[in-house]
Amino acid sequence: MLSHRIVRWWRTSSVTEILGVGMLAIGLVSSAVWLARDLGFRASVSREATLRVNINTASLDELETLPGIGPALAGLIFSARPFASVDELQRVKGIGPATVESLRPYVKVSGQTEEIRRP
């Protein structure tokens, strides 16, 4: 029954109405994709880090395991190497003192990347 209504609407509607409904559908799908990505990013930020990463030798994937570090910031950190201290992360655009303090337990500038041992 619904399909008959759709067919009747399709036959009696103008091109402008059809394009408007199509654009509305595209907008709704785009919004859903954006929201899903945003929620996925927030979920990854809240997860607990399991690595203490050497920011001078870590891969992009390892850098992305850090809380609040996504692909863009990981790339900027990767490009800004080498770092003499963790505080030098502030050289990276988008990383300020508060971010450095939140990352401090999960980063280092020498030695190998290692698993964080939880008590």
Side-chain angles (χ1 to χ4, degrees):
M1 180 162 211
L2 181 61
S3 62
H4 295 291
R5 289 183 184 174
I6 294 172
V7 169
R8 188 173 9 162
W9 174 80
W10 182 264
R11 289 182 180 161
T12 59
S13 296
S14 69
V15 171
T16 305
E17 289 173 325
I18 294 169
L19 287 175
V21 169
M23 291 180 69
L24 177 64
I26 290 170
L28 288 173
V29 169
S30 298
S31 297
V33 168
W34 176 82
L35 182 61
R37 286 184 180 167
D38 186 49
L39 291 175
F41 174 72
R42 288 184 184 170
S44 69
V45 168
S46 65
R47 74 174 182 242
E48 198 169 338
T50 59
L51 295 177
R52 186 148 189 236
V53 176
N54 179 337
I55 54 176
N56 286 320
T57 61
S59 67
L60 287 171
D61 289 337
E62 288 173 329
L63 291 171
E64 287 181 44
T65 66
L66 298 170
I69 304 299
L73 273 178
L76 292 173
I77 293 169
F78 193 89
S79 299
R81 294 177 187 183
F83 298 98
S85 71
V86 172
D87 291 319
E88 285 189 14
L89 277 170
Q90 291 182 55
R91 293 190 331 227
V92 176
K93 184 177 179 178
I95 297 181
T99 303
V100 169
E101 288 309 310
S102 69
L103 289 174
R104 194 173 298 281
Y106 308 108
V107 296
K108 59 185 180 174
V109 293
S110 62
Q112 293 185 355
T113 294
E114 59 192 7
E115 273 192 60
I116 296 174
R117 300 191 197 291
R118 304 271 181 223

